[in-house]
Amino acid sequence: MTAATLLTPATSVEPKGRRVGLVARSDERSYVRVLVVLDTSVLIIALLIGYVTRFGDGDSGGSEIPYVLVAPGLVLAWLISLKALGCYDDRVVGYGADEYRRVSSASLRLAGATAIIGYIADLGVSRVFLGISFAVGTVGLEVARFVVRKRLHRARRVGAGWSRRVLVVGDTAHVLELVHTLRREPYAGYQVVGACIPDVLLAPVAQRLGDVPVVGSFRGIPEAATAIGADTVAVTASGELTAARLRRLGWQLEGTGVDLVVAPALTDVAGPRIHTRPVAGLPLIHVEAPEFRGARKLVKGLVDRSASSLALALLLPLIALIALAIKLDSRGPVLFRQIRVGRGGHEFGVFKFRTMVVNADALLAELTARNETDGLMFKMRRDPRVTRVGRLLRKWSLDELPQLANVLLGQMSMVGPRPPLPSEVARYDGDVARRLLVKPGMTGLWQVSGRSDLSWEDGIRLDLYYVENWSLAADLTILWKTFGAVLNGRGAY
């Protein structure tokens, strides 16, 4: 099938006009206003907590400092700091970790500046008051933005909420690939509303590329964006889009309120590994190699073992209670030890609480035809081999608590790819085998993104993304999201 055959005629291309783009911009401004109001409320509460903690609910202990004036000034300075560091920039809010980093940076910079000014000018403002206020305020801002972002993501998944309206420009194959990528994560807020393709592929009648209407060619991209109310033009690969033509497109979009973004062919590489360096007017993208050893890896190992030993100590009563429940529910051992493949292809025994009957492996052959997932894994929502207690343990992921011992032994990590079976590894191709470059994890992107509800392809893509882009900050984020995934119970069966 050629690229041209992917085009199908459409009865009409529904022009949206600039009004739709203005509505989208209005929704965006409303979201930013909500953030400002929310941030202001959080900061006022943080300052009240700092004041009450330091001085109680009485006066300021005879201090000559008028805190009734200090507090509003500090709130205003904090909001200005957030604004200055782009915490309300529409290219940052609503998706990605950069928003959280900017909020933390704005708060820490203001705290440092306040401490320096207070020391030099000898203002006499209580350091306890400032310390508590900045600590509570910084955490409160992050939590508040997390909550409001989750509401936005839920709205975007059902086609509501503020999203960018994207006109995709490129040849047919690359347009389809970019559309698929953007739709894979609808909560990111990029809604594809049209496409522009090379002139040679246009037909006299209206066309669609998949279900995306073709609204023009490369000759009239700004006009096409205006016609459908797009606020973003995403350019992907095409032989006809030369550097000079792309530069002229940027000039044509100046002053129109339409953003221009360029989607490189390189995918699934996180920002910290990407550096742009201008050479002779050409922005070259430098991609650093993934790091599989060194100081950061050593720190990750120390954090894993410290966290697992602490968790085992704290969860010992719960572990004992689960063991008793398993013993009373069905005959057989409490723990189940299964051979899995770890880093470098080395096999090890992973520990789990037994959630199935003792002859579960023998019954697998009879159930193979009822497999509900694709790829190399076997999953059933109503697996008859699972015991009553086992079903409850799986729902809340409590069956995986013994894997803390594997982490303590250095066989697994707190965060990493899913530990595969030897039978799965035997059928790996060259790309999938890269999962074995790092230790498998108790949790990972696969778990916080849907677990068993994911297709085999999506699970592998997430695991490979983690392998290529792991970091301690990303591990902390995944651990935080794991609590929500466990409480939600999505994909746990």
Side-chain angles (χ1 to χ4, degrees), residues 428-437 460 464 468:
Y428 278 0
D429 60 22
D431 292 343
V432 181
R434 289 186 64 82
R435 298 172 76 246
L436 305 179
L437 291 174
I460 291 298
L464 292 180
E468 297 287 329

Side-chain angles (χ1 to χ4, degrees), residues 38-268:
L38 192 61
D39 289 347
T40 304
S41 303
V42 168
L43 296 180
I44 291 173
I45 293 172
L47 292 172
L48 285 174
I49 291 175
Y51 184 85
V52 171
T53 303
R54 172 61 181 86
F55 301 110
D57 52 4
D59 57 24
S60 56
S63 172
E64 297 180 358
I65 299 298
Y67 284 89
V68 70
L69 298 179
V70 170
L74 198 54
V75 170
L76 181 60
W78 210 326
L79 292 173
I80 292 174
S81 180
L82 292 170
K83 174 67 175 178
L85 265 72
C87 298
Y88 301 111
D89 192 331
D90 62 345
R91 292 169 295 184
V92 173
V93 298
Y95 183 74
D98 195 32
E99 179 180 6
Y100 299 123
R101 284 195 293 266
R102 293 194 186 196
V103 169
S104 296
S105 179
S107 301
L108 292 175
R109 290 188 185 191
L110 179 63
T114 303
I116 293 173
I117 294 173
Y119 176 78
I120 294 175
D122 193 19
L123 297 178
V125 179
S126 170
R127 285 175 291 182
V128 174
F129 162 74
L130 291 175
I132 294 174
S133 297
F134 275 111
V136 174
T138 302
V139 174
L141 289 174
E142 301 282 14
V143 172
R145 285 183 177 244
F146 175 80
V147 172
V148 73
R149 176 186 285 196
K150 287 302 177 184
R151 291 177 61 88
L152 175 64
H153 288 179
R154 283 195 293 270
R156 282 173 171 174
R157 284 193 180 97
V158 297
W162 158 61
S163 296
R164 290 178 172 274
R165 295 176 56 83
V166 182
L167 172 67
V168 181
V169 178
D171 60 39
T172 54
H174 289 96
V175 165
L176 285 171
E177 183 177 359
L178 182 56
V179 169
H180 172 71
T181 301
L182 295 178
R183 288 180 174 175
R184 193 167 58 201
E185 298 182 353
Y187 56 85
Y190 287 85
Q191 178 188 1
V192 178
V193 294
C196 285
I197 58 176
D199 304 83
V200 295
L201 296 179
L202 285 179
V205 296
Q207 298 165 282
R208 287 185 178 272
L209 194 54
D211 60 350
V212 177
V214 176
V215 294
S217 70
F218 293 171
R219 297 179 184 275
I221 296 174
E223 293 78 11
T226 300
I228 62 174
D231 53 31
T232 302
V233 172
V235 178
T236 184
S238 175
E240 292 190 24
L241 280 174
T242 62
R245 202 166 187 176
L246 186 59
R247 185 171 63 251
R248 284 196 297 271
L249 175 60
W251 294 341
Q252 292 170 344
L253 294 177
E254 287 180 2
T256 64
V258 178
D259 293 332
L260 175 64
V261 298
V262 179
L266 185 67
T267 59
D268 288 335

